[in-house]
Amino acid sequence: MAMELPLKPNIEFGIVPTHIKFVGGLVPENEGKFPREADGRLAMVAEVQRILDQSPVAITSVQLPFFFGADSADVEELISSLKSLSLNVHPILMVGGANPMNPADEDAVVAQLVSGLTIAKNHGLREVSSTSIEEWMNPNESRREGPDFQAAIDQNVKVHQRAIAEAGLDGSSIQTWNIEVLRPGEFKSFTDLGRVWQWVQAINSALGRKFFKILIDAAHCGDSGLSIAENQKLIAQIAAAGELGVFHASAKTTRGCLSTDDGWISSLLAAYAATGELRSVFIEVFHHEDPALAGLRDLDPGHGIDTRDGRSYTQTAIDGLVDVAHRLNNLAARGILKA
């Protein structure tokens, strides 16, 4: 459709299409094959095409999960199809069934990371993201403090240095690796910006360069236990250190329509914009009935609320794009972002 809402700031603007569900949309199925729609198109590609066709604001990028063991031909088709739509592809490296903080799981974690990094490198991608410093919703973990937390930091430094070396990233296209903090319950130890920043500082010091950056997710910040003001202060400090990465506009607790975020997206987006370091913004909405996220609904029933108000999930995601585009344009109009 004709673009009705031009984006004024010169930043990457895109979507994480989690609203199509992990099960039946994003996660490989039998023999590592990705789900497809009735016409044979990959479900992820079909949804991104709908966004492009229907959204009044253009997107330039898409961020997608990369799963270990996915069929290589499907991965090739996925990336090539999205590139053919003139989109930058940002992979999210998924690690499952292994704990990055546990030395006994080191080889398993490294193998999964190397697989995703190699795909990204071979396709000339510039940026990757992951939550690969802790296992998602591990029932055997508890919050680590003091020497135990430092041991988790040290082990993660070792794991990620190995992954970089074994994937041969030196001199490759990959310039940045974003690390995302998750809310308490999903993670036990790296649950807020301050705690994940300790690890980012340690790994970048070991590497001698600012390769790792922190992915700021408004939803996880909102559920982290730190206040808006505390998160804003950390964003300013992390930006001054050159370690801020991608921004996720996503609503705390419900992870649905951005109208449920209680001011977190606008507050943190404005704080990030004020640093002069904002480069990439992605909209992220989750499906309230995704079978893969049943554990998250058990953790917090708010995640199971249907926030669409009668809309399809495609339209809910598009409305999120429009909402955030207006915010970005108005930050530019006020001189906070460069137009």
Side-chain angles (χ1 to χ4, degrees):
M1 66 182 295
M3 291 302 106
E4 302 170 3
L5 179 59
L7 190 69
K8 294 176 181 177
N10 183 25
I11 63 172
E12 278 194 291
F13 189 54
I15 194 161
V16 190
T18 42
H19 59 279
I20 67 171
K21 299 183 183 179
F22 282 91
V23 174
L26 304 175
V27 177
E29 298 175 335
N30 295 334
E31 299 180 346
K33 294 288 188 178
F34 286 121
R36 294 179 182 267
E37 297 200 344
D39 61 4
R41 289 182 299 167
L42 294 170
M44 287 180 275
V45 175
E47 179 62 10
V48 170
Q49 183 67 68
R50 278 189 286 271
I51 297 290
L52 289 169
D53 291 343
Q54 299 174 31
S55 174
V57 58
I59 63 172
T60 58
S61 303
V62 61
Q63 195 175 46
L64 296 167
F66 275 26
F67 289 93
F68 183 69
D71 179 78
S72 59
D74 274 13
V75 171
E76 177 69 33
E77 180 183 348
L78 174 65
I79 297 173
S80 298
S81 297
L82 294 170
K83 282 185 171 182
S84 74
L85 298 173
S86 300
L87 294 171
N88 296 323
V89 179
H90 287 241
I92 305 171
L93 311 179
M94 307 299 287
V95 174
N99 185 353
M101 301 188 296
N102 185 351
D105 289 348
E106 180 178 318
D107 288 344
V109 174
V110 170
Q112 293 181 58
L113 290 174
V114 169
S115 174
L117 291 169
T118 301
I119 292 169
K121 180 185 73 170
N122 290 345
H123 284 85
L125 307 184
R126 301 192 318 269
E127 198 160 348
V128 300
S129 298
S130 70
T131 60
S132 54
I133 50 175
E134 189 166 341
E135 185 177 7
W136 186 65
M137 296 189 75
N138 184 333
N140 300 316
E141 271 293 331
S142 57
R143 187 173 178 86
R144 299 191 182 198
E145 301 286 3
D148 289 337
F149 185 56
Q150 185 60 51
I153 290 173
D154 294 343
Q155 179 61 24
N156 267 303
V157 169
K158 183 181 179 184
V159 163
H160 290 79
Q161 280 186 298
R162 270 192 62 188
I164 289 169
E166 293 179 24
L169 295 194
D170 287 348
S172 75
S173 61
I174 300 175
Q175 302 298 308
T176 302
W177 187 338
N178 300 286
I179 294 291
E180 182 176 6
V181 59
L182 300 187
R183 59 176 288 176
E186 293 187 63
F187 277 1
K188 302 297 197 308
S189 293
F190 292 99
T191 53
D192 63 53
L193 295 186
R195 289 174 74 88
V196 75
W197 192 25
Q198 292 182 56
W199 178 76
V200 167
Q201 289 173 303
I203 184 69
N204 283 340
S205 176
L207 293 171
R209 57 192 173 109
K210 301 296 176 72
F211 181 65
F212 282 89
K213 298 183 185 293
I214 297 176
L215 189 159
I216 304 294
D217 184 295
H220 291 304
C221 289
D223 286 319
S224 70
L226 299 184
S227 68
I228 285 177
E230 288 170 321
N231 277 283
Q232 289 174 319
K233 182 178 179 180
L234 281 163
I235 285 170
Q237 293 172 336
I238 297 166
E243 292 172 328
L244 273 187
V246 166
F247 184 89
H248 276 181
S250 191
K252 78 179 189 71
T253 307
T254 68
R255 307 309 301 274
C257 177
L258 303 194
S259 65
T260 69
D261 84 319
D262 297 332
W264 280 86
I265 293 171
S266 56
S267 298
L268 299 193
L269 186 60
Y272 198 155
T275 70
E277 298 297 320
L278 185 65
R279 300 288 181 270
S280 304
V281 175
F282 290 89
I283 310 306
E284 187 177 42
V285 172
F286 288 81
H287 196 296
H288 72 287
E289 293 179 325
D290 190 341
L293 302 178
L296 190 51
R297 293 190 291 276
D298 291 340
L299 175 68
D300 190 331
H303 195 86
I305 296 173
D306 184 353
T307 64
R308 292 173 296 169
D309 208 17
R311 296 164 294 174
S312 68
Y313 263 106
T314 297
Q315 188 59 52
T316 303
I318 290 172
D319 288 349
L321 287 167
V322 171
D323 174 89
V324 175
H326 281 303
R327 296 178 190 275
L328 292 168
N329 284 348
N330 286 314
L331 286 167
R334 290 183 282 157
I336 299 170
L337 283 177
K338 291 182 180 180

